Amino acid sequence: MAQSASRLDQLQHLVELVLAETLARRIDSATGAHSDVQWSDAGFPVLPRNIPVHFKAGTRAGEPDPDVYLASGWHVREPWGVWGSDAVHALRFALDRWRGGYVTVSLSMRCFLPDGVERPHVDITANGYFLGTHRLDAEQQIFRLRLPPSCIGNGDILLQLQHDAPIAPTSVGVAVDPRVLGVGLAMLSAG
């Protein structure tokens, strides 16, 4: 158990380093196009309350920019959403006007599921706090996560998704896509 906790701490530290570097690069290369994005003091993009962020390619005017919430471990967005790359993916956001109490975060997720393969599961943590294990399916499902105040801290959230069996479509002869696909993410919202 102690070894597992140590490994989780190391993984958390690695993700935080990657996030810091990613944020620094995004700020350095930022253009005026996304100046409407609000940021927390720690550099997390503010997630507007009750306004879903859709991860499909192409964002309309007035919609939140989905790329700022994708911290690490994601492929390029597609018309339906975005695939996670390999097994571990991270989202980051700051809660809008959070003053304490529980928060419900909703994720619309799916997985690549060829015939004869068992449905995979995803372990979800928020700021290192384990929120549960959820079974994925080929069809999008909405998963509601209840974040307790003890894991929210000052309102900045690092949400980690760990897929137990990412798979490349070419490895099962289904398609010519060589990417290793983890969680398929279509939407994120907080209420």
Side-chain angles (χ1 to χ4, degrees):
M1 191 67 145
Q3 265 186 331
S4 294
S6 175
R7 287 184 186 153
L8 283 174
D9 286 344
Q10 290 173 349
L11 180 62
Q12 180 76 21
H13 180 69
L14 176 63
V15 168
E16 287 173 357
L17 290 174
V18 169
L19 283 175
E21 180 63 24
T22 302
L23 174 63
R25 288 182 184 179
R26 284 185 178 168
I27 289 172
D28 289 345
S29 64
T31 62
H34 302 298
S35 61
D36 58 338
V37 175
Q38 295 178 3
W39 298 87
S40 72
D41 292 338
F44 285 63
V46 174
L47 180 63
R49 289 279 183 131
N50 301 313
I51 298 176
V53 175
H54 296 281
F55 291 93
K56 62 185 179 222
T59 305
R60 293 189 300 243
E63 289 183 348
D65 176 22
D67 287 325
V68 299
Y69 302 101
L70 300 173
S72 64
W74 300 97
H75 289 291
V76 175
R77 291 186 293 132
E78 299 179 16
W80 64 269
V82 63
W83 285 113
S85 174
D86 295 319
V88 180
H89 332 301
L91 296 166
R92 65 177 180 149
F93 55 90
L95 295 171
D96 188 24
R97 299 180 310 269
W98 184 72
R99 301 288 183 252
Y102 284 80
V103 172
T104 300
V105 172
S106 299
L107 298 170
S108 178
M109 298 186 295
R110 63 186 273 201
C111 69
F112 173 68
L113 188 63
D115 290 336
V117 174
E118 187 177 325
R119 288 175 45 204
H121 69 269
V122 60
D123 292 336
I124 303 176
T125 60
N127 294 339
Y129 186 93
F130 183 70
L131 298 174
T133 298
H134 304 275
R135 276 261 193 241
L136 298 173
D137 202 347
E139 297 296 319
Q140 289 181 17
Q141 302 168 285
I142 295 180
F143 296 90
R144 287 182 177 75
L145 310 170
R146 195 97 162 115
L147 279 63
S150 59
C151 88
I152 295 173
N154 63 354
D156 295 325
I157 306 294
L158 175 62
L159 199 66
Q160 290 182 297
L161 312 171
Q162 183 157 359
H163 191 290
D164 78 324
I167 190 168
T170 55
S171 69
V172 291
V174 174
V176 294
D177 189 348
R179 300 175 300 167
V180 177
L181 305 178
V183 172
L185 178 66
M187 182 273 301
L188 163 69
S189 70

